[in-house]
Amino acid sequence: MTKTTFFDENLIERVLWQFTMKEQRANAIPATCRYARYSANPTPTPRPVKINESDRTMNFEEKIATHYGHGNLTAAIRSGLQAQGITPEQASVEDLGPVDEFHIGGRAATVHFFDQIDLSETSKALDIGCGLGGAARYAAHSFGSQIEGIDLTPEYVETGGALCQWVGLSDKVNLSVASALSMPFESGDFDIAYMMHVGMNIEDKRALFKEVARVLKPGGTFAIYDIMRSNDEDLVYPVPWASSAETCCLAGPATYRAALEEGGFVVRQENDRRDFAIDFFEKMKKANAGQKSPPPLGLHVLMQQTTAEKIPNMIANLQAGRIKPVEIYAVKQ
């Protein structure tokens, strides 16, 4: 099938308006609030509780899912479309691009990433950490592939399913709630697997890549586009994928390569995308100079009031050389 690319520089410039936001919000509401329940009864002395590794993993994954929660995401996206005079039934994959591609570079990065993967109408691909399913819909629309997506955040999966219906891709894209460390698929079920900005929330890269290898056919491709560590300096938080170091699992390319090789993969290509990212953000800054408000749809819809803090922090970490986006393409032996 001929590749379909609908890259629009103006669209990309609108997508990440919030990447150059500098004004701090007034009367901000904290992203998360902690509530305590008090009792007049004395608190009993707690007993030591042994936590096994599966419980620890579950608790960590619950924190990740909570971090990305929104509360009313489908309605917010519907409202953003309607503000542009678009009904959900009229929406296209391109219309949703500003909000459903939650990674550095937006659609430009997606196009570059998939142009290096051999997807076709006969491919069955796995999107690990699919989010709202933006990359999955792009792949299905552009290449005709069948895509299965998994994510920890139920609201993302639910909203992503609605978006697939809106653009008529429910027959090509199926999204479900699942852990990347224990996937609900048969061994050798997929031709291709990929993940985009996911590894930053998964500490055990070796276990992750072994599980990916399990569900891939021999000779299958595994493609990664993640934010990775460039040095050992502490990051400035919060960032889009973590509010603090507690749920940030960054690793360097060398760690990824070693884990991939241990999992049974051969790395065939690695692309450092730091220059691309810096150039991208510089273009955004110039394009949005003088803008007083974001577009109806963008990543600010996902991150809400925390956008003005998280995005500048990410850019600062990138410019300081602490992080960089990297592509890695590997093949299962």
Side-chain angles (χ1 to χ4, degrees), residues 134-272:
R137 283 185 291 276
Y138 172 83
H141 178 82
S142 300
F143 304 96
S145 306
Q146 193 73 34
I147 314 291
E148 287 280 346
I150 61 168
D151 199 272
L152 287 175
T153 306
E155 186 180 16
Y156 274 19
V157 170
E158 180 182 355
T159 299
L163 302 185
C164 287
Q165 290 183 346
W166 293 356
V167 299
L169 285 173
S170 294
D171 62 329
K172 287 288 187 180
V173 179
N174 181 62
L175 310 180
S176 57
V177 177
S179 168
L181 297 176
S182 181
M183 294 188 275
F185 305 113
E186 298 293 330
S187 297
D189 208 10
F190 295 93
D191 305 296
I192 293 167
Y194 64 87
M195 64 185 206
M196 305 183 76
H197 285 28
V198 174
M200 304 99 67
N201 290 132
I202 302 178
E203 184 174 12
D204 194 343
K205 305 292 191 294
R206 285 177 168 78
L208 169 62
F209 297 158
K210 286 179 180 179
E211 179 67 353
V212 175
R214 181 186 70 78
V215 300
L216 271 178
K217 296 177 181 177
T221 295
F222 180 29
I224 299 168
Y225 178 48
D226 268 358
I227 295 175
M228 301 186 190
R229 269 207 171 275
S230 297
N231 60 38
D232 295 329
E233 293 180 12
D234 292 338
L235 267 63
V236 177
Y237 292 96
V239 287
W241 64 92
S243 297
S244 69
E246 182 184 12
T247 53
C248 183
C249 304
L250 287 179
T255 299
Y256 274 74
R257 289 193 301 271
L260 284 165
E261 291 170 3
E262 185 175 317
F265 289 97
V266 174
V267 176
R268 62 175 176 82
Q269 185 178 345
E270 180 180 319
N271 300 326
D272 185 326

Side-chain angles (χ1 to χ4, degrees), residues 9-10 12-23 276-293 311-312 315-316 319:
E9 286 287 350
N10 292 327
I12 295 301
E13 290 175 356
R14 295 196 306 273
V15 171
L16 298 177
W17 173 89
Q18 68 277 7
F19 278 26
T20 56
M21 290 177 65
K22 293 184 178 180
E23 295 181 358
F276 157 77
I278 290 175
D279 182 63
F280 183 83
F281 292 134
E282 284 298 320
K283 289 179 179 178
M284 297 307 97
K285 183 178 179 179
K286 293 177 181 178
N288 294 302
Q291 296 290 330
K292 295 182 179 180
S293 63
I311 297 301
I315 295 174
Q319 292 174 335

